[in-house]
Amino acid sequence: MDAGPWLPVPPAGYGGLENVVATLTTELRARGHTVVLAASGDSTLPVDGLVSAFPEGRFAGLGRPYSEVVGEAHAHALAVAGAVTEAAQPFDVVHTHLEVVGPAVLGALGPAAPPVLATLHWDLRRNAAFYECFDGRGRVFFAGVSDSQVARGPERLRAQTLAAVPLSVPVDGPPPLPRGDRDDAVLVLARVCELKGADTAVRVAAAAGVPVVLAGPVGPFRDRAALDAALATPGHPGAGHPDVVWFLREVAPLLDGDRARWVGSVSGEDKARLLRRARALLSPVRWDEPGATAVCEALAAGTPVVATARGCLPTLVDDGRTGLLADDEAGLVAALRRVGEIDPAVCAAEGRRRFAPAVMAAAYERLYAEVVRRAGQGRTGEPVRADSATATARRWVSNASA
């Protein structure tokens, strides 16, 4: 299970991909699978082995120029390649979440490596030049995290994509708090950046007359203290990170420390408390969200979601039942004023049914078997297609979410 070198598994705060890997790995091991994790050396998830190229996650360096960062992804991929080709007992399959570099390096190994499944977590237009030409040669296959994400990918990639499997989150939390026991504030649980719409969130919350809490990193900085220390250090490389520059220009002037607050990255009990007590999760994204882990977490906690109707969000949020969708800022303001109509108990029931780890793990078990079968045949075969990501999981795992 290859999580890449960027953050430990599980992450201490922000880390949607790493949280998904932690949830999936834990469930697979509970179902009797042996799972070796490839991640940074500070990962603490119980596993059957750990492969690392770096003692600590490399996330803080992602804002540096490409020429200074590209070698880190490849160093990690080479460690994975060495582990799978030199293992005393061959692996059945490699599941990589390292975008582009993972499938490229593992695919280049050919029959020397086990069959590969690569989960796509990004907007697929981001690296279209790679996906338009990559050929897995019947040994490397892909899974998306939503049908809308896969549909935006190049034709060659879609032909090698077996299915879209919805993300999963832990669903064993306490019963949801009723509306009357919740805080007034809405929560934004995401990187504080332009694509996630942090500035929009502050504006629409103010217009709706509700407080807002921004919980997530700004560039490589977990919290205000870390950001301020970097800004006070002449020449600090993080000060020029695009997300930092944008935050200082567009978001910081809107924050007052009371009605609009940035609390930095949160994890564990702090994150669970914020999610459980929030009036709503606010997701005013400016991009076609591929998977939206935070939305799944909020619904599982019984927290309604108010979001822009883009990407996978219309398939995750049942408009008018588990949340409200809008197309612009005025619509988001109106939605925040109506969010009290949404029943937290319905959100929790639907979220825990749809996004349970057992649902995702069972779907991936089916995919692993399909990857092994097709690699053994030496041909790609016809893609397994579904009319929706939810339908994929339901068809393969008819009673896992009952």
Side-chain angles (χ1 to χ4, degrees):
M1 185 71 68
D2 177 15
W6 310 119
L7 290 166
V9 180
Y14 168 78
L17 180 159
E18 291 78 13
N19 275 319
V20 170
V21 168
T23 301
L24 176 58
T25 297
T26 299
E27 182 67 18
L28 288 173
R29 294 183 76 239
R31 297 162 81 94
H33 298 281
T34 299
V35 183
V36 173
L37 176 67
S40 58
D42 50 349
S43 297
T44 58
L45 186 75
V47 288
D48 298 293
L50 179 63
V51 175
S52 301
F54 302 100
E56 297 180 343
R58 311 301 288 175
F59 179 78
L62 281 178
R64 303 200 312 270
Y66 172 81
S67 60
E68 298 178 15
V69 178
V70 62
E72 296 179 349
H74 286 80
H76 174 89
L78 288 176
V80 173
V84 300
T85 56
E86 299 168 9
Q89 181 175 352
F91 291 95
D92 297 311
V93 66
V94 178
H95 187 176
T96 183
H97 300 259
L98 180 61
E99 207 86 22
V100 175
V101 177
V105 171
L106 292 166
L109 294 176
V116 176
L117 179 67
T119 290
L120 304 158
H121 290 270
W122 293 351
D123 184 331
L124 301 181
R125 293 170 296 194
R126 186 171 178 176
N127 292 294
F130 171 78
Y131 293 122
E132 285 168 352
C133 66
F134 179 76
D135 183 355
R137 302 183 184 278
R139 297 194 62 80
V140 180
F141 302 90
F142 295 90
V145 293
S146 68
D147 282 341
S148 64
Q149 175 208 32
V150 174
R152 292 188 299 274
E155 181 178 356
R156 180 184 287 268
L157 176 64
R158 295 198 306 271
Q160 298 173 86
T161 299
L162 302 181
V165 179
L167 299 178
S168 178
V169 296
V171 296
D172 54 357
L177 286 175
R179 287 188 292 263
D181 293 342
R182 291 173 176 260
D183 297 335
D184 290 335
V186 296
L187 174 67
V188 179
L189 185 61
R191 287 185 298 119
V192 182
C193 65
E194 186 171 7
L195 287 179
K196 298 290 187 177
D199 57 331
T200 300
V202 177
R203 286 194 298 269
V204 300
V210 298
V212 61
V213 175
L214 307 178
V218 171
F221 303 112
R222 289 179 47 82
D223 53 32
R224 171 64 74 174
L227 174 59
D228 288 346
L231 294 176
T233 303
H236 193 291
H241 190 289
D243 288 352
V244 173
V245 174
W246 180 83
F247 170 80
L248 294 174
R249 184 182 69 242
E250 302 291 342
V251 179
L254 304 177
L255 303 178
D256 62 8
D258 179 25
R259 303 285 291 179
R261 297 184 293 134
W262 172 46
V263 298
S265 291
V266 292
S267 61
E269 289 301 318
D270 290 336
K271 182 169 79 168
R273 177 179 49 80
L274 282 172
L275 276 169
R276 190 163 182 257
R277 298 196 62 86
R279 174 195 295 251
L281 180 84
L282 181 56
S283 184
V285 294
R286 288 191 175 97
W287 73 323
D288 295 319
E289 187 73 54
T293 308
V295 170
C296 302
E297 290 176 324
L299 293 177
T303 298
V305 176
V306 172
T308 312
R310 294 192 60 171
C312 68
L313 293 175
T315 67
L316 300 181
V317 179
D318 187 353
D319 191 26
R321 185 165 174 264
T322 62
L324 296 164
L325 299 172
D327 297 319
D328 53 28
E329 289 195 20
L332 290 167
V333 172
L336 284 181
R337 290 171 175 162
R338 292 180 48 212
V339 76
E341 301 170 10
I342 306 298
D343 186 351
V346 172
C347 296
E350 188 69 3
R352 296 178 187 197
R353 179 182 67 82
R354 291 183 59 191
F355 308 127
V359 175
M360 180 171 65
Y364 272 118
E365 285 177 328
R366 168 71 168 81
L367 275 178
Y368 298 152
E370 183 69 6
V371 166
V372 171
R373 183 185 72 81
R374 294 191 184 194
Q377 291 178 338
R379 59 181 179 83
T380 301
E382 291 298 319
V384 178
R385 307 309 295 267
D387 54 344
S388 74
T390 302
T392 303
R394 287 177 179 166
R395 186 153 56 237
W396 290 350
V397 199
S398 58
N399 60 359
S401 59

